[in-house]
Amino acid sequence: MPRGELRIYLGAAPGVGKTYALLEEAQRRAERGTDVVIGLVETHGRPHTAAMLGDLEQVPRRAMTYRGVEFTEMDLDAVLARRPEVVVVDELAHTNVPGSSHEKRWQDVQELLDAGISVLSTVNIQHLESLNDVVAQITGTTQRETLPDQVVRAAEQVELVDMTPEALRRRMAHGNIYRPDKIDAALGNYFRVGNLTALRELALLWLADKVDDQLDAYRAQQGISETWEARERVVVALTGGPEGETLIRRAARIAARSKGADLLAVHVARSDGLAGADPAQLARQRVLVESLGGTYHQVLGTDIAAALLDFARGVNATQLVLGASRRGRFAQVLSRGVGVTTTSLSGPIDVHLVTHPQAGRGRRAGEVPAALSRRRRLLGFALALLGMPLLTFVLSTLPDLSLTNDILLFLAGVVGVALVGGLWPALVAALGGSLLLNWFFTPPFHTLTIAEADNLLALGVFVGVAIAVSWVVDVAARRTREAARASADAQTLATVAGSVLRGERPLPALLDRLRETFALRAVSVLELAAEAEGRPGRAREEDAWRVVASVGEAPACSPSAGETVVPVDERLSVVLSGRRLEAADRRVVEAFAAQAAVALRQERLAEEAAAVRPLAEADRMRTALLAAVSHDLRTPLASAKAAVSSLRSHDVEFDADDREELLATADESLDRLGRLVANLLDMSRLQAGVLGVSATAIGLEDAVPLALDELGPAALDVATDIPADLPAALADPGLLERVLVNIVANALRYSPPLQPPTITASAHAGQVELRVIDTGPGIPEDQWEHVFLPFQRLGDRDNQTGVGLGLALSRGLAEAMGGSIIPETTPGGGLTMVVRLPAAPGGIESEGPQE
């Protein structure tokens, strides 16, 4: 059975018209004769969307009861039994009511697709799992209903339903999205222009990435290797040399000229695993690339030009930036080089050869390490200068050997010299051996004249073979040395990476690993003081530097106090104390130093973020406060104003009952306003740490009725069960009353009709516990902490029942009195708030140990 197709309408925010477009497509398919049914559509009370349902067949929803509340969900079994060609399923990220076939609606859709039924659905960008934290940072609201990105990426079609922020806000203001009572809060909070603009950009960028994936898949299926310039992608090739930063900045400028262009840096590492590039240079260049918004990549290859072009074509690059060759003119005559070769094979990819100060200067002598140690090279020269004459003396005492045998023995001697001392001693041995063979063993003897052509050929072959063998032996020794060094470096760096990843503080872990690896006494990171920058003379003074991080005993406090100094940049240096390192170790130490600079930057960013976090939290609180109280302050003020204005009006005569009702309305509105202002003031005092608490012994049998009286008629049906012998609690009477008022009011708000909350009390372990029990919908355990956040309500959907301060304030007040508030699940469904307060001294005698 062929799998059904999924088509998704993607939007940046609620109200852009996803469901409307979804139903338009369903109507079009129905008019073409396709069997289309409505599995589930949420119109949210929008008349234009509801009108689009038309005469489309709707599969009846399945009614479900959860914690005493009835919900409706899509009847998956009924849709499968109906087996239409296309089914419309709105809100793909929705979480199903517990007890449904699947936890998430997208899982229902997957089952429909597996059954061969095509699905039309909708998703908002904030519901994608990969963007959940980004959206929360932008909007200040965490979306709890999410779905994996792969579900949307796997859809056959994703259509963006777009609308400008200004147009969306106009729709909101005209009442086309939310009810009138929610408009002000929405426009001032989630639907701000900045939020909508950022969400719109996220949707466009995410969809562009999916389009890129589709394009890459199509090119792979069709076997298309040519570059399609659908989007500018600039690739810069890095060798690990000093010219890398020049190339990166040039490539970044090229990419910046095209809006939305990608910058990619690539380094081709040798596939034989031997060391080639400077790891410290590459580390610094990687940081630079990422700071400019690019990405860093590393590929393996023996043919650098071919590997570069394979990578560029694989990412559909349009431009390739290379550095001009550093080789000398003679070397360029012998070989065209990577730049010229890449240009000739690039095809439609534009290649930029960028000049730099190192171009044409050749490789520095220090860049090609000697294959063997200096001691072995000296031993090889000694063996060549002494061994060849000694071999000549030995062979001269053996008159029966032919010239061929003499040549083979001299060749063996040259190979022995090559194995001991490398190329140059072997060349000396080969040239010296050829002269000795000619003088002593080639007729006519004791002259450099060669009488027979065969002997001349034999000596020529001897010299050629000797040089070739010496070269091979030298290269093999060089490769062996490089391989051993590369293996040691790789193992060291891998160990460093592991220790840094496992450590809570990467910089100290990195420095400690560096100290242990090279058996150092101490390692320190020094930073040049700001006043010493640009003043070379000042930089040489010891007090111009300060230690920003160090490990070990007696770390150096200035560059001159250490044995080895590794500069990181103009201001940072890593100083090693204890012993002087070999030149070969410096490459790895430079890689350590580059990573130390990155770790230091991360620590400072973390410190700055921690310092800014209280300010950001305060700003968030102020924003949330303004958004929340915009409605809650206005409503009681408007009611009181209307009642008083009516009473003062001379145009209408009110009878006694009407006057009493207006006065009651004004009184109730002002009481509500007073409670709101009192909550706001108490919350501000709590946050400022200046709330006054006067704890005294108070009986809960006295405190609970006072709180219920404060709530008025709504609390008449609240049942109470407070033992007469309950010990007194140690609390502030006024604050305790505020705590109970807020908690009981919350329980009344969510209790089902005819099932009022119950208040019980008990004492144990030196504490008095008061339980406010309701049988409402309850709250999932993983959401318990969210209800105590100020200016938040679970779901953020209600703008009529207060600013969301009640539980947050109650917890703060309880903790200020030395108590706590703990939520629990009510058996059978609902939420129980447990208020724990310390018992008054002497109030509990046998209920458990005192705390």
Side-chain angles (χ1 to χ4, degrees):
M1 178 186 301
R3 180 178 168 86
E5 294 187 353
L6 175 61
R7 180 168 183 172
I8 292 177
Y9 291 85
L10 177 69
V16 295
K18 302 181 302 299
T19 306
Y20 191 90
L22 176 84
L23 294 174
E24 277 188 325
E25 176 64 18
Q27 292 286 1
R28 281 193 295 269
R29 296 197 183 193
E31 291 172 0
R32 294 197 299 264
T34 304
D35 183 16
V36 181
V37 301
I38 303 294
L40 186 143
V41 167
E42 299 288 357
T43 64
H44 298 290
R46 300 165 190 167
H48 299 294
T49 304
M52 284 301 300
L53 290 170
D55 55 356
L56 291 173
E57 178 185 349
Q58 300 188 46
V59 176
R61 298 189 184 189
R62 177 186 177 190
M64 303 181 66
T65 301
Y66 177 66
R67 292 187 174 180
V69 180
E70 186 172 286
F71 301 90
T72 60
E73 292 285 5
M74 180 180 68
D75 194 334
L76 178 61
D77 295 334
V79 176
L80 291 171
R82 172 65 174 75
R83 294 198 62 80
E85 294 180 63
V86 178
V87 60
V88 176
V89 182
D90 202 7
E91 298 186 358
L92 189 61
H94 171 75
T95 301
N96 292 328
V97 174
S100 302
S101 301
H102 300 103
E103 180 185 358
K104 295 285 189 175
R105 187 170 292 167
W106 65 265
Q107 295 171 321
D108 295 339
V109 167
Q110 293 296 319
E111 186 169 344
L112 293 172
L113 296 173
D114 291 338
I117 302 173
S118 296
V119 178
L120 305 177
S121 189
T122 62
V123 169
N124 275 333
I125 193 68
Q126 61 264 34
H127 295 302
L128 296 179
E129 184 64 44
S130 66
L131 299 176
N132 188 255
D133 57 339
V134 179
V135 173
Q137 182 181 8
I138 293 171
T139 64
T141 301
T142 301
Q143 297 293 334
R144 298 179 179 88
E145 292 188 331
T146 60
L147 79 165
D149 290 42
Q150 187 56 37
V151 175
V152 183
R153 289 190 181 276
E156 282 70 21
Q157 296 183 65
V158 177
E159 181 174 331
L160 180 66
V161 182
D162 192 27
M163 181 177 291
T164 65
E166 294 76 13
L168 185 57
R169 283 172 61 85
R170 283 196 298 272
R171 288 199 66 200
M172 174 71 71
H174 293 160
N176 295 329
I177 300 178
Y178 289 162
R179 297 194 310 270
D181 57 289
K182 290 188 174 183
I183 292 175
D184 288 342
L187 289 176
N189 190 15
Y190 194 88
F191 283 80
R192 295 196 297 269
V193 173
N195 288 358
L196 297 177
T197 302
L199 292 174
R200 188 186 187 199
E201 182 179 17
L202 284 178
L204 291 169
L205 291 174
W206 190 94
L207 188 61
D209 286 340
K210 175 169 172 57
V211 172
D212 277 344
D213 293 342
Q214 291 176 329
L215 179 61
D216 291 342
Y218 174 79
R219 282 161 49 85
Q221 292 170 1
Q222 302 298 320
I224 300 172
S225 59
E226 294 82 4
T227 298
W228 286 4
E229 299 186 17
R231 182 176 180 179
E232 287 287 344
R233 284 186 175 86
V234 182
V235 174
V236 54
L238 302 178
T239 65
E243 75 281 358
E245 294 187 4
T246 301
L247 302 183
I248 292 169
R249 291 189 172 93
R250 179 62 182 273
R253 289 196 296 271
I254 294 173
R257 294 173 189 150
S258 301
K259 185 68 174 177
D262 294 332
L263 174 64
L264 302 92
V266 59
H267 170 66
V268 180
R270 291 165 53 171
S271 57
D272 57 11
L274 301 182
D278 185 344
Q281 291 276 14
L282 284 177
R284 286 191 288 268
Q285 291 165 14
R286 177 172 188 167
V287 173
L288 177 60
V289 169
E290 293 174 349
S291 68
L292 294 173
T295 56
Y296 177 86
H297 307 267
Q298 185 163 310
V299 297
L300 297 177
T302 53
D303 187 336
I304 296 178
L308 281 177
L309 290 174
D310 287 343
F311 175 81
R313 294 190 181 106
V315 299
N316 202 24
T318 56
Q319 302 189 63
L320 181 59
V321 178
L322 302 172
S325 177
R326 283 186 287 158
R327 301 181 307 152
R329 294 181 179 179
F330 181 73
Q332 294 183 37
V333 171
L334 297 178
S335 174
R336 296 193 304 173
V338 174
V340 177
T341 304
T342 303
T343 303
S344 63
L345 300 176
S346 63
I349 302 177
D350 296 334
V351 178
H352 302 264
L353 282 177
V354 179
T355 186
H356 50 85
Q358 289 76 28
R361 293 187 176 182
R363 296 172 62 89
R364 298 191 302 270
E367 294 182 3
V368 184
L372 300 173
S373 66
R374 185 172 181 271
R375 180 180 179 182
R376 286 189 59 178
R377 294 199 305 273
L378 292 176
L379 183 60
F381 279 115
L383 186 60
L385 296 175
L386 299 177
M388 291 295 104
L390 180 61
L391 180 61
T392 302
F393 173 76
V394 172
L395 292 179
S396 64
T397 63
L398 302 174
D400 295 336
L401 294 178
S402 64
L403 178 61
T404 303
N405 292 329
D406 293 334
I407 290 175
L408 290 176
L409 289 173
F410 267 88
L411 182 60
V414 172
V415 171
V417 172
L419 291 173
V420 173
L423 177 61
W424 294 108
L427 291 179
V428 171
L431 294 176
S434 66
L435 293 175
L436 291 173
L437 281 170
N438 186 7
W439 184 269
F440 290 101
F441 302 106
T442 305
F445 301 110
H446 306 298
T447 67
L448 295 179
T449 303
I450 300 176
E452 299 179 9
D454 291 346
N455 293 337
L456 178 62
L457 177 62
L459 288 175
V461 170
F462 164 76
V463 173
V465 171
I467 292 175
V469 170
S470 302
W471 177 264
V472 170
V473 171
D474 184 81
V475 170
R478 188 185 303 278
R479 292 292 182 263
T480 301
R481 187 181 181 91
E482 289 179 353
R485 187 72 199 181
S487 176
D489 291 350
Q491 185 175 2
T492 299
L493 294 174
T495 305
V496 169
S499 63
V500 170
L501 290 174
R502 290 189 297 270
E504 294 182 1
R505 299 186 63 199
L507 182 56
L510 190 69
L511 298 182
D512 196 56
R513 179 60 62 180
L514 175 59
R515 183 183 62 81
E516 291 180 0
T517 301
F518 294 101
L520 301 168
R521 185 186 75 248
V523 179
S524 56
V525 179
L526 304 182
E527 184 176 35
L528 186 63
E531 59 271 14
E533 291 187 43
R535 299 169 57 188
R538 181 77 173 91
R540 288 191 290 268
E541 299 176 5
E542 292 190 5
D543 60 352
W545 296 85
R546 65 185 185 91
V547 179
V548 294
S550 65
V551 295
E553 298 178 1
C557 298
S558 67
S560 60
E563 279 74 18
T564 304
V565 179
V566 181
V568 179
D569 53 30
E570 294 81 0
R571 297 190 59 189
L572 285 178
S573 293
V574 176
V575 182
L576 314 180
S577 304
R579 70 183 184 90
R580 190 172 298 278
L581 297 182
E582 298 179 6
D585 293 328
R586 191 176 180 90
R587 288 160 55 93
V588 177
V589 174
E590 287 179 346
F592 271 93
Q595 295 302 323
V598 174
L600 176 62
R601 186 179 299 111
Q602 291 175 343
E603 283 194 2
R604 288 182 171 175
L605 288 175
E607 292 173 358
E608 291 176 3
V612 171
R613 191 175 295 116
L615 299 177
E617 180 65 19
D619 183 68
R620 188 192 69 81
M621 294 286 288
R622 284 193 295 269
T623 302
L625 172 61
L626 292 175
V629 304
S630 61
H631 173 81
D632 296 275
L633 285 175
R634 184 185 307 155
T635 300
L637 282 173
S639 300
K641 175 68 175 177
V644 174
S645 298
S646 299
L647 290 172
R648 295 188 60 187
S649 174
H650 301 291
D651 299 331
V652 180
E653 291 291 337
F654 296 100
D655 58 23
D657 292 338
D658 291 336
R659 290 176 63 83
E660 185 63 27
E661 183 177 353
L662 289 173
L663 289 172
T665 299
D667 184 61
E668 181 182 346
S669 299
L670 292 174
D671 286 343
R672 181 180 172 187
L673 182 61
R675 288 194 298 269
L676 174 60
V677 172
N679 282 345
L680 291 172
L681 291 175
D682 285 344
M683 180 57 73
S684 66
R685 293 191 187 100
L686 274 175
Q687 292 181 338
V690 296
L691 181 69
V693 178
S694 177
T696 185
I698 181 174
L700 293 186
E701 67 277 8
D702 298 324
V704 171
L706 291 175
L708 297 180
D709 291 342
E710 176 77 13
L711 291 170
L716 292 177
D717 296 329
V718 174
T720 60
D721 182 11
I722 300 176
D725 58 348
L726 184 72
L730 187 63
D732 185 302
L735 298 184
L736 177 59
E737 182 179 340
R738 302 295 300 283
V739 169
L740 297 178
V741 166
N742 286 326
I743 292 179
V744 176
N746 190 72
L748 286 168
R749 186 177 301 126
Y750 294 104
S751 293
L754 305 179
Q755 298 183 35
T758 301
I759 301 176
T760 65
S762 60
H764 63 87
Q767 290 184 323
V768 177
E769 291 189 352
L770 187 73
R771 281 179 162 77
V772 180
I773 307 167
D774 70 64
T775 55
I779 300 173
E781 186 173 348
D782 60 349
Q783 302 292 330
W784 281 353
E785 287 302 314
H786 289 81
V787 301
F788 292 105
L789 296 177
F791 313 117
Q792 295 288 329
R793 295 181 199 82
L794 200 60
D796 287 329
R797 297 177 179 173
D798 182 6
N799 288 307
Q800 298 184 16
T801 53
V803 296
L805 271 178
L807 294 179
L809 178 61
S810 297
R811 170 177 275 189
L813 296 177
E815 292 175 350
M817 294 185 291
S820 62
I821 298 180
I822 307 296
E824 293 180 354
T825 300
T826 302
L831 183 69
T832 298
M833 284 293 182
V834 182
V835 181
R836 293 177 180 170
L837 295 170
I844 297 178
E845 297 179 357
S846 60
E847 295 291 340
Q850 298 293 314
E851 293 185 352

